[in-house]
Amino acid sequence: MNKSLFTRLACPLAISALSVTAAQAGTLSIGHTTWVGYGTLYLAQDLGYFKENGLTVELPVVEEASMYMAAQASGQLSGSASTIDEVLKYRPQFCFKAVAALDDSHGGDGVLVGKNVKSLQELKGQAVAVNEGSTSQFWLSYLLKKNGMRMSDITVQNMTADDAATAFIAGRVPAAVTWEPHLSMVRDKQQGKVLIDSSSTPGVIVDVVALNCTVIEKQPEDVKALVAGLYKAVQYTKDHPQKAYEIMAKGVGGYLSDPKELAAAAQGVRFYDQAMSEKLLGKPGAPGDSEPLIKLANETASELQGKPYNVSNDDLVDNRFVSPL
């Protein structure tokens, strides 16, 4: 899912420039897009929470899922930070598993419509701007199904979330699926309204750290250190939010380089602490909420991609590291 306004790495050649550290003990390289939910990775890095357990974490920004997954498949990256529905599509191609939960969208994604629209059913037969193959489309499909509809009931106008918001505000499309800061902009300027946002669908758009299976096998202590550092960072965010957002903004950068912008964006996500991670990923022998979410992602990907996906919870989740060191 491309959640950025800017593309820092725009071609396959950029991938080759990444440090090849996937197999190096004591180091994990995690590719990711620019997204507020990944701020705790930078926070833990800056505060030394990874280092105190002997771990170095590299965080290359790759603003395209296909690119960071290709780098992960080739061993140039240890893993990636992305949504469950996004990475699931690549699981049949090579082995990786989610070892840590990062966040879920809790108001940060939304559907923009005209002021007089009161339900999704009113969009039947109309054009909706949404990024095909993205988490935005996965979420829209979920919303439509909850309301007795299918993707075929609307006309998809394929464009990025940023372009979708721009098209909606300009009056070129009657509806759009996008995220912050566009939702707040529409609310503030009253140029339409947010019909529904992701605060009404907790646990559907969920970001995780997914590491290659060989990395998990050969570097279990590093994985433990990663998870422990993330938990400490989430607690720091609860205890010192203003300082935490300043540190995150410096690390995440891009359109979130202003601490005020990052703080505003952070209101639309929930950072996962240990209890939330255990609820999502479960414990050994006891699957968590990821199991029905993965089932939903399989069904949606099969429908949207036109080919069957049968990735199991065990295929995609390794919950041995959810408990602290």
Side-chain angles (χ1 to χ4, degrees), residues 96-178:
F96 60 85
K97 296 191 178 187
V99 297
L102 292 170
D103 70 284
D104 71 15
S105 180
H106 198 71
D109 294 76
V111 180
L112 301 178
V113 297
K115 293 180 180 179
N116 295 325
V117 177
K118 297 180 180 179
S119 68
L120 283 174
Q121 285 88 344
E122 293 178 46
L123 298 180
K124 191 169 184 177
Q126 297 198 50
V128 178
V130 62
N131 191 1
E132 288 185 333
S134 71
T135 293
S136 291
Q137 190 179 29
F138 163 74
W139 184 59
L140 176 60
S141 175
Y142 171 78
L143 294 175
L144 291 173
K145 286 180 181 178
K146 284 186 64 178
N147 286 270
M149 300 172 65
R150 300 173 62 88
M151 292 297 298
S152 58
D153 290 326
I154 62 172
T155 300
V156 171
Q157 295 289 317
N158 183 27
M159 57 186 78
T160 67
D162 301 325
D163 290 342
T166 299
F168 173 80
I169 293 171
R172 297 199 300 270
V173 291
V177 183
T178 187

Side-chain angles (χ1 to χ4, degrees), residues 9 36 73 119 220 235 267 291:
L9 297 177
V36 63
S119 68
Q235 187 60 49
Q267 303 310 304
E291 189 166 58

Side-chain angles (χ1 to χ4, degrees), residues 69 73 79 85 131 134 138 141 160 162 178 198 204 244 249 251 259 267 281 307 312 321 323:
M69 294 307 293
D85 66 282
N131 191 1
S134 71
F138 163 74
S141 175
T160 67
D162 301 325
T178 187
S198 53
V204 173
Q267 303 310 304
L281 300 180
K307 59 182 180 180
S312 71
F321 305 95
S323 298

